[in-house]
């Protein structure tokens, strides 16, 4: 069901990412394997297999095995144990190998000609990270609000939220086709500087709204890919603004699109290591490590300082509250 729902939603143009269904299907596969081998529910091995399957799903979606491992250790488990590390490492590497054999060996965004930011750009990376931290808080609150808004439509027939989301995305994609879907083409154009800077704020706003509508409707899909697109557009807008005021300080605004992607992911998910490693693997630019560290840690600090819960923790708490209300009503 998750597979076909993901294909229908993402293939239909909703602003969602394929990593959502692949992570969930990977976790379900890990649970299935644990049942095959008669692993007891209370043992750590079952949780390790579920987490490893989820990490493999992320690795397969982005051709990023190290990010899959970091996601398991940093987000799903929150601790490092040999069993979890070995399981996540093996599953993510195998998933990446299979994915590369079937779809190609290049990074998702191959930025061979992009020069690494100079040391003078580190203060800008810090500022961009702070802006992304604030943007991550806004993203999280708006996403929860969109879920609450669509919940009010549940008293109507089940197809109504889908029709509303499809209509909004369809109109937007009719006006500008590249703004719909997972957004890979839009992010790639931002990373290579092919988007006119005057259009970036509008595209950023539209893409943000489409993500809220698509995810709030309850369609099967993830937020990793959509937030990376928003981060790329936000980073490009920041770099373009600096370039307009002080061209020598930011001669290549598209460089900040890479930093914006990692920083916004860190602020939303609150997993800085995953954000840094994922961006390095997505772009193949290992010389971006230092500015990514600066921007991601700044984003993490701002989001933590504003006392905003990570998005997956907030979604889990919301699901628990809804489950509690359902039990009380029963």
């Amino acid at each position: 069901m998750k597979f076909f729902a993901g294909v229908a939603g993402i293939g239909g143009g909703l602003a969602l990412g394929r990593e959502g269904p692949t992570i969930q299907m990977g976790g379900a596969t890990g649970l299935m394997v644990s049942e095959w081998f008669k692993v007891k529910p209370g043992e750590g091995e079952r949780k390790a297999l579920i987490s490893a399957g989820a990490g493999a799903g992320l690795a397969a979606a982005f051709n990023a095995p190290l990010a899959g491992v970091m996601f398991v250790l940093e987000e799903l488990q929150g601790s490092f144990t040999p069993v979890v590390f070995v399981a996540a490492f093996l599953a993510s590497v195998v998933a990446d190998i299979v994915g590369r054999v079937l779809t190609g060996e290049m990074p998702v965004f191959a930025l061979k000609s992009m020069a690494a930011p100079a040391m003078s750009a580190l203060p800008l990376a810090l500022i961009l990270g702070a802006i992304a931290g604030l943007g991550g808080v806004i993203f999280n609150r708006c996403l929860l609000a969109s879920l609450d808004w669509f919940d009010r439509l549940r008293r109507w027939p089940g197809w109504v939220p889908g029709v509303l989301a499809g209509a909004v995305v369809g109109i937007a994609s009719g006006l500008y086709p590249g703004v719909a879907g997972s957004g890979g083409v839009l992010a790639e154009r931002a990373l290579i500087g092919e988007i006119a800077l005057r259009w970036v704020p509008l595209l950023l706003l539209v893409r943000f709204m489409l993500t809220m509508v698509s995810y709030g409707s309850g369609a099967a899909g993830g937020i990793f890919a959509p937030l990376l697109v928003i981060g790329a557009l936000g980073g490009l807008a920041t770099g373009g603004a600096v370039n307009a005021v002080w061209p020598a300080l930011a001669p290549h605004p598209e460089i900040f699109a890479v930093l914006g992607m990692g920083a916004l992911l860190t602020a939303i998910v609150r997993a800085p290591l995953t954000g840094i490693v994922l961006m390095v693997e997505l772009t193949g630019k290992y010389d971006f490590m230092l500015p990514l560290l600066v921007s991601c840690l700044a984003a993490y600090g701002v989001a933590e300082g504003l006392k905003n819960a990570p998005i997956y923790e907030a979604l889990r708490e919301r699901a628990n509250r809804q489950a509690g209300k359902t039990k009380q009503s029963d």
Side-chain angles (χ1 to χ4, degrees):
M1 290 300 297
K2 182 63 66 174
F3 176 86
F4 289 109
V7 169
I10 300 169
L14 295 180
L16 298 169
R18 62 184 181 273
E19 78 289 337
T22 59
I23 289 173
Q24 294 171 357
M25 289 188 293
T29 303
L31 176 61
M32 181 176 63
V33 171
S34 71
E35 292 176 348
W36 287 349
F37 289 92
K38 311 297 182 182
V39 179
K40 296 180 180 179
E43 297 181 0
E45 286 81 0
R46 169 169 285 201
K47 188 176 181 181
L49 286 170
I50 296 173
S51 298
L58 179 65
F62 290 120
N63 281 354
L66 288 179
V69 176
M70 289 295 103
F71 180 71
V72 170
L73 299 178
E74 193 173 27
E75 175 64 25
L76 299 182
Q77 290 286 335
S79 60
F80 181 96
T81 61
V83 173
V84 172
F85 174 75
V86 172
F89 186 83
L90 290 175
S92 297
V93 169
V94 172
D96 185 58
I97 291 173
V98 174
R100 288 175 185 267
V101 169
L102 295 177
T103 62
E105 299 184 7
M106 296 296 293
V108 176
F109 304 114
L111 305 177
K112 296 180 180 180
S113 59
M114 181 181 289
M119 291 291 293
S120 59
L122 292 183
L124 292 179
L126 184 68
I127 295 173
L128 175 59
I131 296 173
L134 179 60
V137 173
I138 295 173
F139 183 97
N140 288 357
R141 292 178 178 175
C142 290
L143 193 70
L144 295 173
S146 71
L147 290 169
D148 293 337
W149 188 83
F150 272 97
D151 276 348
R152 299 190 185 99
L153 303 179
R154 300 304 178 194
R155 62 179 182 274
W156 294 357
W159 51 266
V160 172
V163 168
L164 290 176
V168 171
V169 174
I171 293 172
S173 62
L175 297 175
Y176 188 88
V179 81
S182 63
V185 175
L186 191 61
E188 186 173 358
R189 291 187 63 195
L191 290 169
I192 60 180
E194 285 189 353
I195 301 178
L197 294 177
R198 65 179 181 274
W199 292 108
V200 172
L202 178 60
L203 289 175
L204 177 62
L205 178 61
V206 172
R207 184 68 196 186
F208 181 87
M209 293 177 61
L210 292 184
T211 301
M212 297 299 114
V213 170
S214 299
Y215 193 84
S217 68
I223 59 173
F224 263 49
L227 71 85
L228 291 178
V229 178
I230 296 172
L233 292 172
L236 181 61
T238 303
V242 175
N243 178 267
V245 177
W246 195 347
L249 195 59
H252 304 288
E254 61 273 12
I255 288 176
F256 296 93
V258 179
L259 306 183
M261 294 168 79
L264 188 63
L265 189 151
T266 297
I268 292 172
V269 182
R270 216 63 48 77
L273 293 179
T274 302
I276 293 168
V277 172
L278 180 61
M279 289 315 305
V280 170
E281 291 187 295
L282 282 177
T283 62
K285 300 295 292 183
Y286 293 90
D287 46 4
F288 273 63
M289 183 68 72
L290 182 57
L292 276 171
L293 280 166
V294 173
S295 59
C296 289
L297 291 178
Y300 183 91
V302 170
E304 281 289 305
L306 294 175
K307 307 298 182 182
N308 181 252
I311 187 60
Y312 291 123
E313 181 180 330
L315 291 173
R316 183 168 56 250
E317 292 176 354
R318 182 180 183 277
N320 291 337
R321 288 196 302 269
Q322 287 186 327
K325 291 179 181 179
T326 302
K327 290 181 180 179
Q328 289 178 358
S329 61
D330 292 342

